[in-house]
């Protein structure tokens, strides 16, 4: 009986932590600068204008979470377009 040789490769990954900064919604509101709110808003909303208002909050109780609520300066042009899929509210979680 001949024995069949099997070759296996071991794959390894070296992970590099790219972003060492805490998410802005997990930081205290007095630690976050207006420029950081603006940059974050523009990156998640694809809006070229700054936001009209922002509410940074933390809820504690049986359930605990932090959040950011942005109000855009202008309503989206397609706001009343029934055919366009709605994706106005976005949820980002930290695992």
């Amino acid at each position: 009986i001949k024995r069949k040789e099997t070759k296996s490769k071991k794959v390894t990954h070296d992970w590099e932590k790219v972003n060492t900064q805490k998410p802005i919604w997990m930081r205290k509101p007095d630690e976050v600068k207006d420029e950081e709110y603006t940059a974050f808003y523009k990156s998640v909303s694809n809006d070229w204008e700054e936001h009209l208002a922002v509410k940074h909050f933390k809820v504690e109780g049986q359930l605990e979470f932090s959040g950011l609520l942005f109000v855009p300066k202008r309503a989206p042009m397609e706001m009343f377009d029934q055919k366009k899929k709605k994706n106005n509210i976005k949820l980002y979680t930290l695992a």
Side-chain angles (χ1 to χ4, degrees), residues 5-43:
E5 286 187 29
T6 59
K7 294 181 181 180
S8 64
K9 293 182 181 180
K10 184 176 180 180
V11 178
T12 59
H13 298 280
D14 290 329
W15 296 97
E16 178 184 348
K17 194 169 190 174
V18 178
N19 189 359
T20 57
Q21 190 175 23
K22 269 176 99 173
I24 64 173
W25 62 88
M26 297 296 291
R27 294 165 39 198
K28 293 179 183 174
D30 58 344
E31 294 176 355
V32 183
K33 297 177 183 171
D34 290 337
E35 297 82 24
E36 291 176 289
Y37 285 127
T38 300
F40 181 75
Y41 170 74
K42 287 181 176 182
S43 71

Side-chain angles (χ1 to χ4, degrees), residues 54-65:
V54 63
K55 180 66 179 165
H56 189 159
F57 59 93
K58 184 172 186 170
V59 177
E60 295 178 356
Q62 287 183 345
L63 185 66
E64 189 173 318
F65 64 92

